[in-house]
Amino acid sequence: MSNIEQTLSIIKPDAVERNLQEEIKKKFIENGFIIKKEKKIQISKAEAEEFYKVHETKPFYEELCNYLSSGPIVVMIIEKVNAVLENRKLMGATDPLKAEDGTIRKIYGISIDKNSVHGSDSVDNAKIEIEFFFKSWEQFFAKLLDKVYFLQSKFFSRGFWVCLFLKFEFFFVLLFYQSQINYF
Ligand code: CMP
């Protein structure tokens, strides 16, 4: 049975600053990932602290949060069979110096801090991290709005209202004549 998973990927400030997002996205696609959703955002330091809370006891925590909130990032939901593990393989080791040839961090990473990409480290964390950036209620309302726009464009176009008006006009004209006939 195929095990299609979704995971969260972040293209970090160092890569966005060097305008590498399209090149990195291409790597995901070439490696069989589907980019289901993406957005370019800049988060606050408080949001970065919340996101990296698991590292709050680590000596590099402060630096890490300053860095992630220092510039625009691209956050993506990517999908593939065994996406969590496959993404971690494609990213390579945390430290670009130790990453295998051909991995994203080896090719684009500058240092252990500026290692260009982040990926969820487990299926459970992937769910938490996806929810962090792509709230399910936001997705629900986005889908609802899409449906409303679709229905509006299909059924409530200008042509629809003109037809409705003409239909009613004919109906009222008919009623009017009917009433005149009865009157006289
Ligand atoms: P990331 O996969 O985003 O998860 C936590 C980040 O902390 C990691 O990538 C690194 O960029 C950063 N980091 C900084 N210093 C270290 C370190 N000594 N060990 C592990 N991660 C570090």
Side-chain angles (χ1 to χ4, degrees), residues 12 52 55 60 64 88 94 105 112-115 117-119:
K12 293 187 179 183
Y52 275 133
H55 295 298
F60 54 84
L64 177 63
R88 293 188 72 76
T94 309
R105 284 167 170 167
I112 194 162
D113 308 289
K114 298 184 173 178
N115 58 359
V117 279
H118 165 85

Short mmCIF file of all heavy atoms in Angstrom, two decimals, residues 12 52 55 60 64 88 94 105 112-115 117-119, ligand 1:
data_model
loop_
_atom_site.label_atom_id
_atom_site.label_comp_id
_atom_site.label_asym_id
_atom_site.label_seq_id
_atom_site.Cartn_x
_atom_site.Cartn_y
_atom_site.Cartn_z
N LYS A 12 14.62 28.90 3.63
CA LYS A 12 15.02 29.86 4.68
C LYS A 12 15.52 31.20 4.10
O LYS A 12 15.82 31.30 2.90
CB LYS A 12 16.11 29.22 5.54
CG LYS A 12 15.61 28.03 6.37
CD LYS A 12 16.70 27.58 7.32
CE LYS A 12 16.25 26.42 8.17
NZ LYS A 12 17.28 26.03 9.15
N TYR A 52 10.08 27.06 16.68
CA TYR A 52 11.26 26.27 17.07
C TYR A 52 11.29 25.95 18.57
O TYR A 52 12.36 25.72 19.14
CB TYR A 52 12.54 27.03 16.70
CG TYR A 52 13.01 26.83 15.27
CD1 TYR A 52 13.39 27.91 14.47
CD2 TYR A 52 13.13 25.55 14.71
CE1 TYR A 52 13.85 27.72 13.17
CE2 TYR A 52 13.59 25.37 13.40
CZ TYR A 52 13.95 26.45 12.65
OH TYR A 52 14.41 26.26 11.36
N HIS A 55 13.50 23.51 20.37
CA HIS A 55 14.94 23.77 20.54
C HIS A 55 15.22 24.81 21.62
O HIS A 55 16.34 25.32 21.72
CB HIS A 55 15.54 24.28 19.21
CG HIS A 55 15.49 23.26 18.11
ND1 HIS A 55 16.14 22.07 18.17
CD2 HIS A 55 14.86 23.28 16.90
CE1 HIS A 55 15.93 21.38 17.06
NE2 HIS A 55 15.13 22.08 16.29
N PHE A 60 21.82 27.49 20.66
CA PHE A 60 21.68 28.27 19.42
C PHE A 60 20.25 28.80 19.19
O PHE A 60 19.95 29.39 18.17
CB PHE A 60 22.12 27.43 18.20
CG PHE A 60 21.43 26.08 18.09
CD1 PHE A 60 20.17 25.98 17.48
CD2 PHE A 60 22.03 24.92 18.57
CE1 PHE A 60 19.54 24.76 17.37
CE2 PHE A 60 21.40 23.69 18.46
CZ PHE A 60 20.14 23.60 17.85
N LEU A 64 18.92 31.23 16.26
CA LEU A 64 18.08 30.54 15.28
C LEU A 64 16.78 31.32 15.02
O LEU A 64 16.37 31.51 13.87
CB LEU A 64 17.77 29.14 15.83
CG LEU A 64 16.84 28.22 15.03
CD1 LEU A 64 17.45 27.89 13.69
CD2 LEU A 64 16.59 26.93 15.82
N ARG A 88 13.96 14.62 4.00
CA ARG A 88 15.17 14.72 4.82
C ARG A 88 16.39 14.21 4.04
O ARG A 88 17.48 14.75 4.16
CB ARG A 88 15.00 13.99 6.16
CG ARG A 88 13.95 14.70 7.02
CD ARG A 88 13.84 14.16 8.40
NE ARG A 88 14.99 14.51 9.24
CZ ARG A 88 15.20 15.71 9.77
NH1 ARG A 88 14.35 16.69 9.54
NH2 ARG A 88 16.24 15.93 10.53
N THR A 94 22.15 18.43 8.51
CA THR A 94 21.91 19.81 8.98
C THR A 94 23.08 20.73 8.64
O THR A 94 22.89 21.85 8.19
CB THR A 94 21.70 19.79 10.52
OG1 THR A 94 20.71 18.81 10.82
CG2 THR A 94 21.25 21.13 11.04
N ARG A 105 21.15 21.06 0.91
CA ARG A 105 22.02 21.80 1.83
C ARG A 105 23.48 21.82 1.36
O ARG A 105 24.20 22.78 1.59
CB ARG A 105 21.89 21.23 3.24
CG ARG A 105 20.60 21.67 3.91
CD ARG A 105 20.31 20.88 5.13
NE ARG A 105 19.21 21.43 5.91
CZ ARG A 105 18.62 20.76 6.89
NH1 ARG A 105 19.01 19.55 7.20
NH2 ARG A 105 17.63 21.31 7.55
N ILE A 112 25.80 25.93 9.18
CA ILE A 112 24.80 25.15 9.92
C ILE A 112 23.56 26.00 10.23
O ILE A 112 22.44 25.49 10.29
CB ILE A 112 25.41 24.50 11.19
CG1 ILE A 112 24.46 23.43 11.75
CG2 ILE A 112 25.75 25.53 12.24
CD1 ILE A 112 25.10 22.45 12.70
N ASP A 113 23.75 27.30 10.41
CA ASP A 113 22.59 28.19 10.65
C ASP A 113 21.90 28.52 9.34
O ASP A 113 20.69 28.42 9.23
CB ASP A 113 23.05 29.51 11.29
CG ASP A 113 23.90 29.28 12.50
OD1 ASP A 113 23.35 28.84 13.50
OD2 ASP A 113 25.14 29.51 12.42
N LYS A 114 22.72 28.92 8.39
CA LYS A 114 22.16 29.31 7.08
C LYS A 114 22.19 28.11 6.14
O LYS A 114 22.93 28.10 5.15
CB LYS A 114 22.95 30.49 6.51
CG LYS A 114 22.86 31.71 7.40
CD LYS A 114 23.55 32.91 6.81
CE LYS A 114 23.27 34.12 7.69
NZ LYS A 114 23.91 35.32 7.23
N ASN A 115 21.38 27.11 6.51
CA ASN A 115 21.44 25.86 5.73
C ASN A 115 20.30 25.73 4.70
O ASN A 115 19.92 24.66 4.29
CB ASN A 115 21.50 24.64 6.67
CG ASN A 115 20.31 24.57 7.60
OD1 ASN A 115 19.45 25.43 7.58
ND2 ASN A 115 20.25 23.53 8.41
N VAL A 117 17.31 25.24 3.93
CA VAL A 117 15.98 24.63 4.02
C VAL A 117 15.74 24.00 5.39
O VAL A 117 16.67 23.58 6.06
CB VAL A 117 15.76 23.53 2.94
CG1 VAL A 117 15.39 24.11 1.59
CG2 VAL A 117 16.94 22.59 2.83
N HIS A 118 14.46 23.94 5.73
CA HIS A 118 14.03 23.21 6.92
C HIS A 118 13.00 22.18 6.47
O HIS A 118 12.23 22.43 5.55
CB HIS A 118 13.38 24.14 7.94
CG HIS A 118 12.61 23.41 9.00
ND1 HIS A 118 13.21 22.92 10.14
CD2 HIS A 118 11.29 23.04 9.07
CE1 HIS A 118 12.29 22.29 10.87
NE2 HIS A 118 11.12 22.35 10.24
N GLY A 119 13.00 21.02 7.11
CA GLY A 119 11.97 20.01 6.83
C GLY A 119 11.56 19.33 8.12
O GLY A 119 12.38 19.13 9.01
P1 CMP B 1 16.52 23.06 11.00
O1 CMP B 1 16.32 21.80 10.25
O2 CMP B 1 15.74 24.25 10.57
O3 CMP B 1 16.22 22.81 12.54
C1 CMP B 1 16.80 23.56 13.57
C2 CMP B 1 17.91 24.42 13.09
O4 CMP B 1 18.84 24.87 14.05
C3 CMP B 1 18.77 23.65 12.10
O5 CMP B 1 18.04 23.45 10.92
C4 CMP B 1 20.00 24.54 11.99
O6 CMP B 1 19.90 25.49 10.97
C5 CMP B 1 20.01 25.29 13.34
N1 CMP B 1 21.24 25.03 14.11
C6 CMP B 1 22.11 25.94 14.48
N2 CMP B 1 23.11 25.40 15.18
C7 CMP B 1 22.87 24.10 15.27
C8 CMP B 1 23.54 23.00 15.87
N3 CMP B 1 24.69 23.15 16.53
N4 CMP B 1 22.97 21.78 15.73
C9 CMP B 1 21.80 21.61 15.07
N5 CMP B 1 21.13 22.63 14.48
C10 CMP B 1 21.65 23.85 14.58
#
